[in-house]
Every structure is written in structure tokens, then in C-alpha cells.
Amino acid sequence: SAPTPIVASRRNSRVPALGENIPFTLDNYRYKDSFGREAMIYVRKFKFPQVERRFDTVMVYSDKKGRAVDYQGSRHDMVIDLDISVLDNGGLRIRSGDGKLLLGPIHVPMPAALTGIFTGDGYYDEDEGRFRIQVEVTNALMGPLFRYRGYYETEYFDVEPGELPEEYRPLREDSRE
């Protein structure tokens, strides 16, 4: 897949690097955001040989939409609707839906031709004693854009408001869904 712009990596919203057998960890922090919503930040760390890259998302439940939404990166520049279902093996499948760019005071719906459709399956592999994941992002016109699969290590943390580690705290939060 083609590397994404380096600015996206500075905002922890994309991973502009390629490789195989890249160690991957996932830290999950449950907290209340500045709007009082229950939120879960997912901090994915990919440890490439020369550099570590992060991809952060914050998931909240939208009462208005009746579904989860995902804010991308450390500045919440994009929000994406999520469809979540349970797999036969007890794992979860998350598939992206409509998305919007959040540009200052305006929000711009993202046309399907310009976006990637995310599908991620994750479950706990009893035989291996660890979590397994398979993620693919595709575009209707360009085909596969990004994928990763394998095992990962994860930790879950419940934190009080204001106790989210500074390095993971979003630089900006947005309430638009």
C-alpha cells in the first residue's frame, strides 16, 4: 500500500510505513471525555525497525445515531460511523460506515470514492493464549489500501477524568457526530 502523508503520522491518524512481522501493541483507556461521554481511546503502536508509529482512535457511543462512532487521530479531524457485530468465535467485527472530516467549525461528508472501508476482526485465540487481529482497508476504486494481521498484546486501563496519560490525551476533542 502507498505510504500516507507524514502529517498524518504526527497526528497519529495513519501509519505511513510498510513492513512484515512488525510487533504491535494496543493500549485501551476508558475515560470520560470533556463532553461527559464514556470514551475508549485505542493506542496502537507499531514498532518498525527504525521508528515507532502510532494510530489513535477514540470510540464513543452516539445516542443520536444509535451506534458507536470513532474519532481518528490526536486532533479528532475525522469521525466515522461504526457497525459492530459478534463473530461465530466470540470475537468482534468492526466495519466503518459514513465519515466526515471535521475542519474547524465545518464538517464535510467524505465521498465513498475517496474513503477507505475498514473491516477489522479481533478475537482471543485460546490455543495461542493471546489476541488475534485481521484488518483491511479497501477503496471501491483503488482496491486494498492497507492491511495488517497477526497477534498483539493489549492492556486495559480505567482512568478518572483528567488522568488519561498526557501522551495519549487528544489534542482536541469534538462532539460532532
Side-chain angles (χ1 to χ4, degrees):
S1 62
T4 53
I6 197 69
V7 69
S9 71
R10 288 190 194 124
R11 292 183 175 187
N12 299 322
S13 63
R14 300 293 174 270
V15 178
L18 303 173
E20 292 185 21
N21 299 314
I22 306 302
F24 163 59
T25 60
L26 175 61
D27 289 343
N28 306 284
Y29 287 85
R30 191 174 67 130
Y31 66 104
K32 284 199 181 211
D33 70 6
S34 61
F35 301 102
R37 302 175 297 186
E38 291 286 336
M40 176 78 84
I41 187 167
Y42 298 89
V43 179
R44 299 158 187 88
K45 296 177 190 173
F46 297 87
K47 294 177 176 73
F48 291 91
Q50 308 303 323
V51 66
E52 180 177 281
R53 296 285 188 213
R54 275 187 27 206
F55 177 39
D56 300 352
T57 58
V58 175
M59 185 185 296
V60 301
Y61 183 78
S62 167
D63 287 325
K64 181 174 113 182
K65 292 184 173 189
R67 67 173 52 206
V69 296
D70 218 14
Y71 292 93
Q72 304 279 301
S74 58
R75 295 189 49 80
H76 292 194
D77 294 324
M78 188 182 326
V79 62
I80 298 172
D81 293 348
L82 299 176
D83 292 316
I84 302 173
S85 58
V86 177
L87 301 169
D88 290 340
N89 64 7
L92 293 179
R93 170 168 288 158
I94 299 176
R95 184 170 167 86
S96 64
D98 293 337
K100 296 177 196 163
L101 289 174
L102 304 175
L103 307 169
I106 63 171
H107 62 274
V108 179
M110 297 184 316
L114 300 178
T115 63
I117 301 298
F118 166 92
T119 303
D121 293 349
Y123 65 95
Y124 188 76
D125 187 325
E126 295 286 343
D127 294 336
E128 291 288 330
R130 55 188 177 166
F131 288 94
R132 186 169 190 66
I133 192 164
Q134 180 169 322
V135 170
E136 184 170 74
V137 179
T138 59
N139 175 274
L141 301 174
M142 296 181 279
L145 299 176
F146 176 79
R147 74 178 127 235
Y148 60 93
R149 67 173 184 232
Y151 294 96
Y152 65 95
E153 296 176 16
T154 190
E155 288 194 59
Y156 294 89
F157 305 95
D158 285 328
V159 294
E160 295 298 320
E163 291 181 355
L164 188 64
E166 187 67 34
E167 65 183 342
Y168 300 153
R169 189 171 296 135
L171 300 174
R172 177 176 76 92
E173 291 182 329
D174 204 301
S175 65
R176 292 174 287 176
E177 304 169 353

